[in-house]
Amino acid sequence: MNKIDVVLGLQYGDEGKGKITNQMAKSGDYDYVMRYNGGGNAGHTIYVDNQKVVTHLVPCGVLHGIPSIIGSGCVLNINNFFIELDYLEGLGYDTSLIKVAYNCHIVTDDHIEEDSKDVTIGTTRTGNGPCYRDKVTRVGKRAEDFKELSQFIIDISVGSFSGKILAEGAQGYWLDVDQGDYPYVTSSNCGIGAVINNGFSHKEINKVVGVAKAYSTYVGAKQYQKTDDPLFEEIRKVGLEYGATTGRSRQIDWLDLNELSVACMRNGVDHLIINKLDVLEQLNCWKIYDPNYSINKILNFESKDLFKDYIRNEISSVCSGIEIEFQESPH
Ligand code: IMP
Ligand code: MG
C-alpha cells in the first residue's frame, strides 16, 4: 500500500505548485515524486539554491535525488523528454532517477503540428489535445512501444510498487477537461480523480495540498477577466505573470473565492496554500470576488490581515478542518 500526498492546482494553472512540490520533496519524506497529468503544456519554475530551473515534463524529485516518475496520466514527446534530460544533466542532476509509466502516451510530431493550428482555445501548441484524443480513440502509442525509452519504463499499478509518493499535478482544477469551462480547458483531468487513474486506490491518498494564488490568472483564448482594473497590468509586472511554456501574458483578475471554495471541496483539500501575497502587498491592494453574491461583487479590504481573515473564514465555513497558509513569491 502506497501513501500518497498530492499537490494540486485550484485555479487555472500557474498557482505555484512547482514551488510547493519542491518544498515538500526537500523534506526527505518521499520515496518517489510523480507527475499525474499533462505533458509539455505545463511549465514548472523552481528555485533550487537560487538557481532557476524550468521543467515541463520531469517532476522535481530529481532535483533532490528522489526517483521521479512521469505517470500514465501524462503524455510525453520523446524528443522534448531527451532535451529536458540533457538540460537537467547539464545542471548536474542525476537523470537515471527518472522513470516513465509504461502506459504513458506519446506525443508525436504530427500531434504538435496539428495542435499548432489551433486558433479557438489558445492551447500551448504542445500536441496535448491530439495526443489525448488518440489515447481515447485507441490509436495512440505508449511509452512501452519505444525502444529508446526502455531503460526508463516502470509499472506503477496497484500491488507492484510501494512507497511514499508525492503526486504533483499539472494545470489547475478549472482547466480540468470535465469540470472546467469547456471547451476552454486542457485535455486531461487535473483534479484528484486523475491521481487514482495512474493506478492507485483512493485509500492510498494520505493528504491533499491545494495551491492557489492571492489573485487569479489564466492563459488562453477566452475573455477571462470579469472586470477591468489598471492594477492588473501592475500585478502582471510585479508577479511576473507570463507563461513559462509560451511566454504569453497571463490575463489577471481578483481572487474568485467561490471558485476557490468549490475547488477545495471537490478535491478534498486538507491543506490550502495561497501564494504570492507579496504581489498584492507591493501594490497595497486587497480585493476579491465575494462568494456570497451570484453577481460578481468585489470586496476591497483595508489591510492584508482583513483580507486574510475573510478568506480563512469563508473557506473554513465550507471546508471544515482545512488548514490555510499564506506564502510569498519564491524570488
Ligand atoms: P493545452 O493544454 O495546451 O491543450 O491548452 C488548453 C488550455 O489550457 C489553454 O488555455 C492553455 O493556455 C491552458 N494551459 C495548458 N497548460 C497550462 C499550464 O501549465 N498553465 C496554464 N495554462 C495552461
Ligand atoms: Mg505553469
Side-chain angles (χ1 to χ4, degrees):
M1 181 109 168
N2 298 292
K3 208 167 170 188
I4 307 171
D5 289 350
V6 180
V7 177
L8 183 153
L10 298 170
Q11 294 164 310
Y12 295 82
D14 310 312
E15 301 94 345
K17 296 178 292 296
K19 180 188 78 164
I20 303 301
T21 312
N22 193 49
Q23 283 172 5
M24 291 172 73
K26 249 197 293 205
S27 69
D29 284 349
Y30 298 97
D31 302 312
Y32 303 94
V33 180
M34 181 193 81
R35 260 280 293 282
Y36 66 81
N37 77 297
N41 51 354
H44 287 175
T45 308
I46 299 160
Y47 291 83
V48 189
D49 302 329
N50 292 325
Q51 181 183 47
K52 182 176 169 180
V53 183
V54 180
T55 59
H56 298 282
L57 295 163
V58 175
C60 72
V62 72
L63 310 180
H64 303 286
I66 306 171
S68 295
I69 303 161
I70 298 174
S72 65
C74 301
V75 293
L76 173 148
N77 175 266
I78 295 176
N79 200 22
N80 291 338
F81 173 66
F82 282 110
I83 289 173
E84 196 158 309
L85 254 52
D86 283 348
Y87 164 72
L88 290 168
E89 266 165 32
L91 296 174
Y93 296 109
D94 177 6
T95 56
S96 71
L97 295 166
I98 296 166
K99 302 287 168 214
V100 180
Y102 75 97
N103 45 353
C104 168
H105 274 253
I106 298 300
V107 179
T108 64
D109 293 345
D110 286 349
H111 291 147
I112 295 174
E113 197 191 323
E114 183 182 344
D115 196 23
S116 58
K117 295 185 187 128
D118 160 77
V119 285
T120 47
I121 306 300
T123 73
T124 59
R125 305 187 161 196
T126 47
N128 278 258
C131 180
Y132 280 111
R133 178 203 58 213
D134 282 358
K135 169 179 174 172
V136 173
T137 53
R138 295 158 297 187
V139 296
K141 287 255 185 291
R142 313 201 294 185
E144 62 179 347
D145 301 325
F146 293 85
K147 216 169 158 193
E148 62 268 48
L149 292 177
S150 56
Q151 70 182 102
F152 301 97
I153 296 296
I154 190 171
D155 181 354
I156 53 173
S157 49
V158 181
S160 58
F161 173 90
S162 113
K164 199 152 182 232
I165 303 171
L166 180 59
E168 166 187 25
Q171 291 84 46
Y173 185 65
W174 294 110
L175 286 175
D176 182 286
V177 63
D178 287 304
Q179 307 305 332
D181 182 17
Y182 192 88
Y184 298 101
V185 292
T186 189
S187 294
S188 62
N189 288 110
C190 315
I192 193 70
V195 180
I196 297 160
N197 281 339
N198 279 257
F200 301 104
S201 156
H202 68 284
K203 292 184 180 167
E204 294 178 288
I205 293 184
N206 176 54
K207 181 163 87 172
V208 181
V209 178
V211 187
K213 272 192 296 215
Y215 49 90
S216 309
T217 62
Y218 161 86
V219 234
K222 74 171 173 181
Q223 167 64 35
Y224 170 69
Q225 292 158 322
K226 297 189 273 268
T227 183
D228 204 5
D229 194 310
L231 282 171
F232 293 159
E233 186 52 41
E234 299 299 312
I235 290 178
R236 185 176 297 120
K237 280 191 207 140
V238 175
L240 305 175
E241 297 296 351
Y242 304 93
T245 302
T246 57
R248 290 180 287 180
S249 287
R250 295 173 182 151
Q251 295 186 51
I252 315 282
D253 207 346
W254 305 117
L255 176 66
D256 185 322
L257 212 42
N258 185 42
E259 277 184 359
L260 183 59
S261 303
V262 172
C264 287
M265 276 190 285
R266 293 199 194 152
N267 292 292
V269 172
D270 300 298
H271 186 134
L272 166 63
I273 297 172
I274 300 182
N275 273 320
K276 287 194 157 180
L277 208 61
D278 54 311
V279 175
L280 296 186
E281 184 148 43
Q282 207 164 317
L283 305 170
N284 194 27
C285 182
W286 305 104
K287 292 189 190 181
I288 54 160
Y289 286 106
D290 191 330
N292 297 305
Y293 293 85
S294 51
I295 299 166
N296 299 316
K297 178 168 184 256
I298 296 168
L299 285 182
N300 193 357
F301 298 95
E302 273 173 25
S303 71
K304 173 164 85 172
D305 287 341
L306 290 172
F307 174 86
K308 284 165 68 174
D309 288 348
Y310 195 87
I311 294 172
R312 270 187 209 287
N313 288 336
E314 285 296 324
I315 301 281
S316 303
S317 73
V318 288
C319 300
S320 64
I322 192 169
E323 278 174 56
I324 303 175
E325 181 190 340
F326 291 87
Q327 290 199 15
E328 312 217 317
S329 306
H331 34 82

